[in-house]
């Protein structure tokens, strides 16, 4: 049985600060929007790492795309971000189905690791203004052209 790359939190992350090339983008989530953004970024020549808490979607992504994947198995989220080399990332996308996890990871990327481009998918419209004012570029379920708005924010 094939398994996605994973980090258990028991040992030092095996890829942290080992890469020579710059990691361009981290994507949290494996849904349809995340896959469309992944494809767009790869066409732009970006290196992409995808993080998720579900193993099977990560395995499917590894079969189809040349990417690194990281399976999140415990609540120490910052360890996974460091394994994904967030310190050298240029972009972070919180694109899972969970607003609160997207918000948490996007805030960490923006305010602790100073990632300049952070795009956060938030379905609850009542949270859009709050997190936009905190420096996140927010896309939501109410947008009829969600993918296009995400790309527009990325290119802005």
């Amino acid at each position: 049985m094939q398994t996605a790359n994973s980090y258990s939190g028991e040992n030092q992350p095996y890829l942290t600060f080992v890469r020579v090339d710059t990691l361009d983008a981290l994507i949290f989530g494996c849904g349809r929007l995340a896959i469309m953004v992944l494809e767009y970024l790869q066409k732009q020549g970006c290196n992409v790492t995808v993080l998720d808490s579900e193993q099977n979607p990560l395995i499917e992504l590894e079969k189809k795309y040349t990417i690194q994947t990281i399976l999140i198995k415990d609540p120490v989220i910052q360890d996974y971000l460091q394994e994904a080399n967030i310190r050298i990332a240029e972009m972070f996308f919180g694109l899972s189905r969970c607003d609160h996890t997207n918000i948490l990871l996007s805030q960490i990327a923006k305010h602790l690791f100073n990632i300049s481009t952070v795009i956060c998918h938030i379905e609850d419209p009542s949270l859009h203004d709050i997190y936009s004012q905190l420096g996140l570029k927010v896309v939501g379920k109410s947008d009829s052209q969600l993918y296009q708005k995400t790309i527009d924010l990325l290119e802005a």
Side-chain angles (χ1 to χ4, degrees), residues 64-100:
K64 189 171 181 181
Y65 303 99
T66 306
I67 59 169
Q68 177 185 356
T69 62
I70 297 175
L71 176 64
I72 296 177
K73 296 195 305 189
D74 63 47
V76 186
I77 292 173
Q78 279 185 281
D79 288 347
Y80 296 105
L81 293 174
Q82 289 186 9
E83 179 183 358
N85 289 322
I86 193 167
R87 292 192 187 282
I88 59 172
E90 298 168 305
M91 297 171 271
F92 179 86
F93 300 85
L95 302 178
S96 77
R97 294 183 187 110
C98 178
D99 285 356
H100 297 292

Side-chain angles (χ1 to χ4, degrees), residues 7-70:
Y7 173 61
S8 66
E10 296 170 7
N11 299 312
Q12 289 295 318
Y14 61 92
L15 292 175
T16 301
F17 309 115
V18 173
R19 293 176 60 128
V20 175
D21 58 326
T22 301
L23 177 65
D24 296 306
L26 301 179
I27 299 174
F28 175 73
C30 289
R32 189 173 68 191
L33 177 60
I35 292 170
M36 291 190 301
V37 170
L38 163 65
E39 290 173 349
Y40 172 83
L41 292 171
Q42 285 199 319
K43 285 180 185 174
Q44 303 303 313
C46 295
N47 295 317
V48 179
T49 298
V50 178
L51 302 96
D52 201 282
S53 57
E54 296 182 34
Q55 186 172 11
N56 289 336
L58 289 174
I59 291 169
E60 292 304 313
L61 286 179
E62 285 179 341
K63 288 178 183 177
K64 189 171 181 181
Y65 303 99
T66 306
I67 59 169
Q68 177 185 356
T69 62
I70 297 175

